[in-house]
Every structure is written in structure tokens, then in C-alpha cells.
Amino acid sequence: VLFPTVTFAVFFMIVLTVSWALMTRQRTWRAWILVASYVFYAWWDWRFVFLLAASTVVNHVLAVAMYRADGARIRKLLLGLAVAFDLGLLAYFKYSGFFVSSTDNVFGTSWIVNITLPVGISFYTFMAISYVVDTYRRELVPASFARFAVFQAFFPHLVAGPIVRASELLPQLETPRDPRKVNTSRAFVLILSGLFLKVVIANHLSTHIVDDVFAAPNKHSSLEVLVAVYGYAVQIFADFCGYTNIAIGVALLLGFEFPQNFNSPYAAVSLQDFWRRWHMTLSRWLRDYLYIPLGGNRKGTLLTYRNLMLTMLLGGLWHGAAWTFVVWGGIHGTGLAIERALGWRPATAAAQWFGRILTFHVVCFAWIFFRADSFSRAGQVLERLVTAWGQSSPLVTTSVVLAILVGIAGQYIRPSAVGNVVAGFQRLPVVAQGACIAVVLVAINTLGPEGVAPFIYFRF
Amino acid sequence: MAFFRTAAGRGIVVLFLGLVLAALLEAEGLRKQAQIQPQGFQRHLALDVTRPLVRFSHALHLTTPRHELQVAIGRRNEDQIDTQVHLSLPPPAGPIPQGGARHRGTPAPHHRGTPASVKPRFTATKPLKIWVAGDSLAQVPGEGLERVSAADLDVLPIESRLSTGLARPDLYNWYTRFTQVIAALHPKVAVLSFGADDAHDYMAGAPAGTTVGPLGSASWSAEYRRRVDGVTRELDAAGMYVVWLGLPIPDGPGFKKSFPIVNRILESVARAHKQGATYVDTWHLLDDSHGNYTPYLRVRGTLTLMRLPDGVHYTSSAGDLIAHQVLAQLHAKYRF
């Protein structure tokens, strides 16, 4: 089920109402929300419901066994089994085609695999890994099976995050949510802003410039290519931040708090700062379950750089099974290493603006490899950026430039301004709130291009 | 009742009010959404719900704000439902010619046809204008054509509209669009990819008194052939050469039965209009040596991904492969 559809609106209205009606009867509520989440997932492809269920059962059984086991070796073995199972799922469903074709192109093996990628597998697998690792570290007491099943399948985060930690969501599943303490105004502002970002900004940029230019860069002027690169930077932000805003808002209406996932990433003054603002739940996952276990910055300068680079390369590969994603991670890893070597921490206002502009352009440069479907296409984009100035640029329209400017300017909106909007909405009477929502929904739907393109991060 | 005085309770009321009011303001758009759904219970239900909604909304002039906004952004007719199959040329006397059967790998005879001396010549200063249009399967081959074409070809902006086709003018009326393109863009070649979203039982806009049976029935095939043939003749009459892109071999059993029905019609119509149309057999272009679906093909020695995970859509490599096939067929007709 896609968030910006009538089907989802009807689905959510029913789930929300029944959810609050059942909230005090926790067992029944858990059964209801689990069924709703599985229906949500099955809407995409019912076959993969069994995969999600299998992931839940295996991770829960191993986490409980690990918690009850006394010996360090047996606990380590169980952790290894759980992580191997989770990574095995990812390797099989997400990476087998990539590995097999890469192997073939080196050794000529002529093996071919044809495996459908289950939507959201990267997200719920990472959540499962954090659950078993936290249990192993004795930071977490395994929840009941029903609670863990809800934690993993809870539909607001199921297909594209945010990657919620067990320690964040499981405690909220212990007791009924208090209907008096739900910040519905914040939820509505998040949902509407998410819809605007996705339907108006991201879809417009995708259909009016980005897809055309990245499909055939050689046919476009340097100005079009440059605007398309900026456009993609805004598109991917609007698409993914839009999705997570909706997810966080939907969860909030159901009574649950999710962690923030974006914090004005294009206002970052350095790459390190960028990764504290972009896909924050993935960044901290990579930090806590990859970078720090590798040794972090505790084992000397060289190993710190190695760990940094490994983390970013694997982070790149997490996004997609292609070498272009690895290069994207490599660019970020290299940039982070350079910043570290230089001790780059801009203090003055001028240095911060320099940092912002430089960081944004390094990020845009890396997005070229992220968006292009091959190295040759990325090369064409880069070449075209410098070789076709002065040609006509019909794709650079006012609406495209406006969408990019809105996307960038949005990064500089102060949290207090958003807080004022929420507070203003809160003060309105119920009917006026409903009317506001209706007007904004209709405006978004009318301004957005026809059809609903899938969210970019669904495929990761 | 006490619940509705809590924040969550008020939130449900606000959301309900917001959605109901949005439905009223957007009634015409919702009616179109209902209309264009595939046949079945969900469509009937959606139509039953939206019919009174539109009446009520009209009565209160609630559709006006959306209308005004659409006019302001130049999309005034977006909510209109047009089921007319606009084909201005009368059908030929007698049954529509079906063309002969062709075996796999045998090029259509007209590919070798036109002698070089009489082939129209196109150059960088006078390029061959190509218009690529169709459903979502048109996009990637169109992009491929943009990539592989030189300056003597001018690929116009690709018009690829998700989930549209020749069977459902209510969803998007391609027949109207063909008329507009003939009048405004004057392309020399139309590369059309239709059928993936037509391969269903329901067809809108059938002539009065005609009943169209399920997909694959004689009446379905006859009506679909009438449309494909009509489009070919309209474009041919306007001086355009039509390249029909066949549907590719799909993964999974569902489309394997329905796509060949469409392909047979596209191919037979192209063969019946040898001077004005041709057919590109993407099914056999993308299958493996055993005639089965494969996501990868070896291209210049490298195992290359050809199909997206949905088992239907193309990767850009497949787009390039199809584009080369299109160019090969155009070379038989034009010099460029």
C-alpha cells in the first residue's frame, strides 16, 4: 500500500479507529495491529508475508535462547546464527543477482539467478539484527513473541523505515498508549508536509527533469544536467524525508513515537554533520552495529580510516546491489576521512557557509553515482556538465527551479517555525482543523503530477 | 464518548472530517479514479460511492476550487472522462486484414523493402523526427533511442503514461492525443508501445451495440484489432511510419498468456500495413536460448541485466537493445 493513495487513507482510517477502540485490551490490540501490518505488507506481494513471519520467528527464538543461555560461547554461537540468518536473507534476496553477475563477468560462470526483491527487507532485517545484538549485549530483555512480531512488522515503518530500535519501540508496546497524550497536530503537520514533499516536489522533479536527463545525458545541455543533479539531490531528499514524515505522523496518530530521521541535511557544514542529519536512523545503526564493533576510532589512526571506509562502503552496498552504490559510499568515506585528517570543524559564520556549499556539492557529486544506472552513464553526466554550455535548455523551467529552491530553502526553516505552525493548528477548532487538512490534501493532489511513483527507498 | 474528548479521539474526528471534505472537494478526481480502475468489485464499489459524491459536490459548488487551480496550472481537463475512440478514417470494407503468420527470427519482408535510391534522406540539419509514446513500457526504449541516435534523428520528448493503453480511453485518451500530435508535432515516425495494460477483460469505448467479451475472445480481439488498425491508418494517412513495439516475455505465468494475444494483433496489423508500419518482436529479443524468460542476457560478452525485478519492465540495457532494433527497421525505410 502506498501512503499517498485513497486506498491507504481508507485502510488507515479503519486501522486507527479500531486501534484506539482496542487499546485497553492489549492482547486483542496486538493481534489487530499485527493483522493490519501483515495486510499492509501483503498488499504489495502476499508471498513475502511468509518471509517476514519466518524472520520474526527465527530471530525471536534465537534471541530468547541467547538470553537464557549461560555460557559465553553458546551465546556467541546463537548470535552468530541469528546474524548469519539475517544477512543470509539479505544476501539471497538482495545481492545474489549482483554477486552472480559480478562473478560471471570475471570468471565467465554463466550462472543466472532470478529472485524478486521483497520490499522493505533491508529495513526489517536491520531492525532484527539490532534486536538480537542488543539482546546479546544484555542491553535488552527479549519481549514476548507477540510484542516482537508487532515491533518488526508495525506497518508505519515496515517498508522504508525509519529503522526503529527495539529499545525505542518495545517499551511503548508494554503498556496501552494514553489517548490524552497524543500530539495529533504534530502528526498532521508531519503527514501533510510528507505528502507535499513526495507528491509535489519529488514527483515533479523526477518527471520534469531528473529521469529524462539521467536516461540520456548526452542529449541535454550542461545547464540541464547541472539542474538535474541539483534536482535529484532535492528529489531524493523530498522522496525519502517525505516518506518518513508520513510514517512518523501515522505512528504518532496511533500513539507511538518514532525517532527523527532527517534534520535539514543540506544545511550540513561538513560530511560528518551531513551523516548526523541524513537518514539518521541508518547512520546510528551503522555506527553502533558496524563502525564501533570494527573498533571505531579506538585502535589507531590507520584502523580508524579503514573502519570509516568499510562502514561507508557497506552503507553504500546496503542501498543497492550495484558497484555504483559502492562508489557512492566510497566518495562519502573518502570525504569523511579527509575531513578527519584536516580536523575540519568550521567555527566562523563564513567558514560554515563555505562548509555548507562545499558539503552540498560533494553530496551532489556522490548522488550522480547513486542515481546513474552504470558508471558509463555517470561518466556521461560528468562529461556533459562541462561540455555542453550554451545549448538550449528547455527542461530548465520555472516550476523545476522553483521546486529545487523550495527543497533547498526548506532546509533552513527553523524548528521553532515548525513548532509555531503546530501550535497554531492546535488552537484551531476541530472543524477548522479538518478543513485545513482537506484544503491542503486537495492542493497537493492537484499540484502533483498524475500517477503515484513508488518511493525511491522502497527498492532498498 | 469520553474518548472523543481526548487528543486521540479528536484526532480521529479531525482526520475523518478532513478526508470527507477532501473527498467532496476532489469528487470529480475521485470519480475518475473510480472509473479507471480495473473491472471488478472494487471498481463497482468506488463508482457507487463517487456518483452521489459528485452530485452533492456539484450542487454545493465544492468542485470549483480544484477546477480553478487546475485551470491556473494549465491542466483544466484532467478530471474529464472521455471514452470515445476517435478514429476519423472509416474502416476498410470487409474484415480488417490480419497479415500472415511469421516464424521467430524471420524478419518482416518489408524490412528489406525500399531500395536505397528512393529512401527519404535525413541529416543533422533535417533530422528524422521520432515520437515515442505508450504505457510505462515505452519510457526505457524511448530513452534508449535518445541514447543511440545521432544528430540525424530527433527524438521528441517521450510520452509514457503509466497504466494507459488503447483499451481504456477513459483512463487516458490516446486517440485524442494522436490527433493533437499529428497536428502539432509532425513527427515522421511513431514508436508505439501499447498493450501491457490492455491485456484485461474490460474495454471502454466499444461502438454502440457491440459487446466485448473477455480477453482473447473473438470479440475482444476484433475490437482491439480495430483500434490498432485504426491508429495505424490514421498515422499512416498523416505521413507517419508506425513502429509497434511488441510486449516482452514476462516472468511468471499471468502475463505469459495475455501478452501473446496482444502481440499477435500488433504484429498482424503491422504486416497488413507493410508500407506504413512495422513490428519489433521484443518477446524473442529478450528470451533465452530455450525461449524462456531470463532477467540477464549476454551483451558483447558481458552478462547484463535486462529486466527489472517486476519481470515486465526493461532496464536501460534492454532499452538500448530495443532501440537498436528500431533503428535497424528504420534504416530499411529511411537513409540517415
Side-chain angles (χ1 to χ4, degrees):
Chain A
V1 181
L2 289 165
F3 280 161
T5 60
V6 176
T7 313
F8 180 76
V10 174
F11 166 86
F12 182 59
M13 197 67 228
I14 296 167
V15 172
L16 178 68
T17 310
V18 177
S19 172
W20 281 109
L22 297 176
M23 188 54 84
T24 50
R25 283 169 278 169
Q26 279 284 283
R27 274 188 164 186
T28 324
W29 178 85
R30 279 194 293 271
W32 166 250
I33 214 71
L34 200 56
V35 168
S37 297
Y38 273 73
V39 167
F40 177 85
Y41 196 60
W43 212 277
W44 192 276
D45 191 333
W46 63 269
R47 294 170 302 170
F48 294 122
V49 161
F50 301 106
L51 187 69
L52 175 62
S55 168
T56 305
V57 170
V58 171
N59 280 292
H60 181 71
V61 166
L62 290 173
V64 170
M66 201 188 313
Y67 186 73
R68 287 179 183 160
D70 289 327
R73 285 179 86 182
I74 186 86
R75 292 180 65 247
K76 210 168 213 169
L77 178 71
L78 289 165
L79 173 69
L81 274 176
V83 173
F85 170 78
D86 290 323
L87 294 181
L89 281 186
L90 268 187
Y92 178 75
F93 284 101
K94 189 166 176 175
Y95 299 107
S96 44
F98 168 65
F99 287 132
V100 167
S101 59
S102 296
T103 309
D104 176 273
N105 290 332
V106 177
F107 301 109
T109 50
S110 285
W111 296 330
I112 286 178
V113 292
N114 180 24
I115 297 161
T116 307
L117 176 68
V119 68
I121 190 169
S122 307
F123 291 91
Y124 67 71
T125 300
F126 267 32
M127 285 178 58
I129 291 175
S130 86
Y131 176 73
V132 291
V133 172
D134 287 355
T135 306
Y136 172 78
R137 290 173 177 168
R138 301 266 191 224
E139 292 169 2
L140 196 73
V141 178
S144 69
F145 177 73
R147 286 191 182 88
F148 176 64
V150 171
F151 159 74
Q152 203 180 10
F154 194 36
F155 72 89
H157 69 58
L158 180 57
V159 292
I163 302 168
V164 187
R165 281 193 179 168
S167 58
E168 288 164 336
L169 189 51
L170 282 175
Q172 299 184 62
L173 294 169
E174 291 295 328
T175 51
R177 304 286 81 209
D178 187 342
R180 295 165 303 175
K181 293 181 180 167
V182 179
N183 190 344
T184 54
S185 300
R186 188 173 149 245
F188 288 131
V189 170
L190 279 167
I191 292 170
L192 293 176
S193 67
L195 285 171
F196 174 77
L197 284 171
K198 166 62 186 165
V199 178
V200 181
I201 302 291
N203 286 4
H204 187 82
L205 288 170
S206 153
T207 52
H208 284 72
I209 190 161
V210 175
D211 291 352
D212 285 344
V213 169
F214 274 87
N218 286 347
K219 299 289 171 182
H220 296 278
S221 70
S222 295
L223 181 65
E224 282 180 331
V225 174
L226 181 67
V227 174
V229 172
Y230 289 149
Y232 184 65
V234 172
Q235 183 205 336
I236 193 165
F237 165 76
D239 192 286
F240 193 24
C241 178
Y243 178 89
T244 41
N245 276 5
I246 301 170
I248 293 168
V250 161
L252 205 54
L253 284 178
L254 288 160
F256 294 88
E257 284 276 356
F258 279 0
Q260 191 181 2
N261 213 20
F262 288 89
N263 180 21
S264 305
Y266 294 145
V269 296
S270 64
L271 281 177
Q272 190 185 35
D273 189 23
F274 175 80
W275 281 104
R276 286 177 180 150
R277 295 160 173 263
W278 177 274
H279 203 174
M280 293 147 77
T281 57
L282 175 68
S283 304
R284 65 180 193 180
W285 194 100
L286 292 172
R287 181 195 64 202
D288 294 348
Y289 300 104
L290 188 58
Y291 178 69
I292 291 174
L294 281 170
N297 58 3
R298 304 183 308 275
K299 298 196 172 171
T301 310
L302 263 181
L303 285 178
T304 299
Y305 288 129
R306 181 206 68 175
N307 297 340
L308 206 53
M309 193 53 103
L310 264 178
T311 304
M312 294 316 293
L313 291 175
L314 290 171
L317 202 55
W318 176 88
H319 282 85
W323 289 109
T324 46
F325 289 107
V326 179
V327 167
W328 172 78
I331 293 168
H332 277 276
T334 308
L336 286 166
I338 291 171
E339 278 180 8
R340 193 177 186 88
L342 296 175
W344 172 249
R345 278 197 187 80
T348 64
Q352 285 183 349
W353 274 108
F354 173 74
R356 274 187 196 107
I357 292 165
L358 182 64
T359 304
F360 177 67
H361 283 86
V362 171
V363 168
C364 285
F365 172 68
W367 283 139
I368 293 172
F369 292 87
F370 193 95
R371 175 61 180 79
D373 56 9
S374 63
F375 288 119
S376 65
R377 194 90 73 243
Q380 286 168 8
V381 170
L382 292 169
E383 184 201 336
R384 204 69 185 168
L385 267 174
V386 289
T387 56
W389 287 99
Q391 294 186 6
S392 70
S393 306
L395 294 184
V396 182
T397 58
T398 310
S399 66
V400 163
V401 174
L402 194 64
I404 293 172
L405 288 178
V406 168
I408 302 285
Q411 313 281 319
Y412 294 92
I413 294 175
R414 288 183 182 167
S416 61
V418 179
N420 289 341
V421 173
V422 172
F425 187 86
Q426 186 115 39
R427 282 195 292 273
L428 293 174
V430 167
V431 175
Q433 286 187 351
C436 273
I437 289 174
V439 168
V440 176
L441 280 179
V442 172
I444 287 170
N445 201 33
T446 310
L447 290 173
E450 277 184 282
V452 181
F455 287 95
I456 294 174
Y457 266 69
F458 275 23
R459 74 181 84 129
F460 300 147
Chain B
M1 275 302 115
F3 169 73
F4 287 103
R5 283 195 287 276
T6 66
R10 272 205 314 276
I12 290 175
V13 174
V14 167
L15 186 61
F16 181 75
L17 280 174
L19 291 177
V20 169
L21 190 54
L24 285 167
L25 291 168
E26 183 124 4
E28 288 182 337
L30 287 176
R31 181 184 55 179
K32 183 164 184 183
Q33 286 296 316
Q35 173 84 24
I36 63 181
Q37 283 184 45
Q39 273 294 84
F41 164 76
Q42 208 172 327
R43 181 171 184 268
H44 288 300
L45 180 69
L47 283 171
D48 287 344
V49 170
T50 51
R51 233 173 261 126
L53 198 70
V54 170
R55 273 202 299 273
F56 185 70
S57 194
H58 267 176
L60 296 178
H61 297 283
L62 289 173
T63 51
T64 311
R66 176 172 154 91
H67 247 287
E68 294 300 321
L69 188 53
Q70 283 175 325
V71 171
I73 59 172
R75 283 157 50 179
R76 72 169 62 227
N77 296 326
E78 212 167 71
D79 293 340
Q80 269 184 14
I81 300 168
D82 179 5
T83 57
Q84 288 294 307
V85 176
H86 307 280
L87 294 170
S88 60
L89 295 177
I96 293 167
Q98 302 206 0
R102 186 165 68 85
H103 296 294
R104 179 185 175 182
T106 317
H110 55 279
H111 296 169
R112 308 187 195 99
T114 324
S117 54
V118 294
K119 284 182 191 172
R121 185 178 178 83
F122 293 90
T123 60
T125 49
K126 187 197 150 202
L128 179 64
K129 258 192 192 179
I130 302 177
W131 180 57
V132 185
D135 55 30
S136 54
L137 282 175
Q139 183 69 31
V140 176
E143 292 168 354
L145 265 176
E146 283 185 339
R147 280 192 294 272
V148 304
S149 61
D152 44 13
L153 296 183
D154 176 14
V155 182
L156 297 169
I158 303 157
E159 296 193 30
S160 152
R161 289 184 169 267
L162 261 73
S163 311
T164 60
L166 300 178
R168 298 292 305 269
D170 50 344
L171 175 53
Y172 180 75
N173 200 315
W174 278 106
Y175 305 97
T176 308
R177 184 63 193 144
F178 292 139
T179 315
Q180 293 166 346
V181 168
I182 289 168
L185 300 179
H186 314 295
K188 226 30 213 156
V189 175
V191 178
L192 304 179
S193 180
F194 286 105
D197 296 291
D198 290 334
H200 302 292
D201 291 339
Y202 179 68
M203 221 186 278
T210 311
T211 310
V212 178
L215 173 72
S217 65
S219 59
W220 192 98
S221 296
E223 175 58 15
Y224 199 71
R225 179 172 285 110
R226 183 182 79 85
R227 297 179 185 206
V228 175
D229 182 74
V231 169
T232 308
R233 287 188 305 110
E234 298 271 338
L235 299 179
D236 186 24
M240 288 163 69
Y241 186 63
V242 183
V243 180
W244 287 104
L245 298 184
L247 298 174
I249 182 169
D251 191 16
F255 293 130
K256 272 212 177 76
K257 286 180 188 157
S258 57
F259 280 12
I261 295 169
V262 172
N263 279 348
R264 275 196 292 275
I265 295 173
L266 296 176
E267 184 176 12
S268 68
V269 168
R271 288 178 63 77
H273 294 272
K274 284 180 188 165
Q275 292 310 312
T278 187
Y279 173 77
V280 173
D281 182 357
T282 60
W283 182 287
H284 291 118
L285 189 66
L286 295 172
D287 63 0
D288 68 9
S289 53
H290 305 289
N292 296 321
Y293 174 84
T294 175
Y296 291 89
L297 284 180
R298 200 168 286 283
V299 180
R300 289 188 291 276
T302 303
L303 203 57
T304 308
L305 186 63
M306 289 285 156
R307 310 296 289 275
L308 293 185
D310 62 14
V312 175
H313 289 88
Y314 310 114
T315 62
S316 59
S317 301
D320 290 350
L321 200 62
I322 295 167
H324 280 296
Q325 286 289 312
V326 172
L327 286 190
Q329 305 222 14
L330 292 181
H331 274 297
K333 182 90 183 163
Y334 303 105
R335 277 193 297 163
F336 53 88

